[in-house]
């Protein structure tokens, strides 16, 4: 059983800790299923070690956009993916549907895989509206776009991110199964679907029992060398 391990290191660590993680990764024999998402300045440290990508990307191709980083810039460093629509970006940057559509379009046009994050809030979960919410998050961005089979979807319940809480295995299995059926029926694509939200050494063996999960988008534990190593070893 192999699961993909995608590490979103957010803004947690500095150069020395990143380099420690790079050295740890070099000791792992089969690294094909690992993709790391460090902060922009550290992208190249993962080059020739594992696949890597950015945590976000500009919705514009080029120009006077101070502080932004474009698809072609990450591509020129060797990135193969970018996260799009992480709940922290949606909230902190007030991302609109149009912004998300532009980012995914530019990524696909430049052969960079978007890792598109979706997920319900605690209130939506408690009201039992998870599927309605995530179908809407998918369709509002996917409708009218092409090459959607090259998108990876990360199902990340917002209430599970960084909280130590997760849905039950049955809930994750059912939600991801429904996401797969939805994109297959509506867009004719078989997208890879990851689970994200408080994945850690404590729950990885339990989560690995879920068939529908193709892998994980891991936040906190991907910045802690020993935790990441433990998770990777359980997923190879
Ligand atoms: C994330 O930010 O994508 C995430 C899943 O975070 P954590 O693993 O820390 O919950």
């Amino acid at each position: 059983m192999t699961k993909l391990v995608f590490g979103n290191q957010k803004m947690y660590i500095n150069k020395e800790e990143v380099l420690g993680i790079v050295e740890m990764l070099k000791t792992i024999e089969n690294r094909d299923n690992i993709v790391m998402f460090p902060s922009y300045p550290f992208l190249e440290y993962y080059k020739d070690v594992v696949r890597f990508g950015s945590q976000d990307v500009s919705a514009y191709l080029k120009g006077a956009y101070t502080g932004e980083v474009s698809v072609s810039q990450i591509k020129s460093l060797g990135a193969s993916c970018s996260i799009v629509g992480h709940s922290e970006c949606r909230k902190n940057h007030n991302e609109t549907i149009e912004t998300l559509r532009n980012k995914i379009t530019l990524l696909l046009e430049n052969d960079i895989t978007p890792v598109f994050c979706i997920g319900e809030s605690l209130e939506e979960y408690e009201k039992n509206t998870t599927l309605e919410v995530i179908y809407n998050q998918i369709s509002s961005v996917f409708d009218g776009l092409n090459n959607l089979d090259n998108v990876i979807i990360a199902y990340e319940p917002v209430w599970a991110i960084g909280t130590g809480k997760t849905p039950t295995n049955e809930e994750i299995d059912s939600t991801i199964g429904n996401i797969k059926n939805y994109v297959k029926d509506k867009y004719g694509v078989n997208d890879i679907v990851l689970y994200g939200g408080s994945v850690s050494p404590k729950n990885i063996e339990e989560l690995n029992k879920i068939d529908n999960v193709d892998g994980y988008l891991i936040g906190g534990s991907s910045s802690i060398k020993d935790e990441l190593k433990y998770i990777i070893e359980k997923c190879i």
Side-chain angles (χ1 to χ4, degrees), residues 13 40 51 65 126 166 192:
I13 51 177
Y40 293 120
R51 283 182 287 155
Y65 298 101
E126 285 171 344
T166 60
I192 290 170

Side-chain angles (χ1 to χ4, degrees), residues 6-10 12 83 86-88 117 154-158 160-165 195-200 216-222:
F6 283 32
N8 171 17
Q9 297 186 311
K10 310 199 191 195
Y12 281 136
I83 296 173
H86 190 282
S87 61
E88 287 154 14
C117 298
Y155 168 55
E156 301 207 300
V158 179
I161 296 179
T163 59
K165 295 181 192 152
Y195 166 75
S198 294
V199 176
S200 77
Y216 307 99
L217 183 55
I218 303 161
S221 283
S222 73

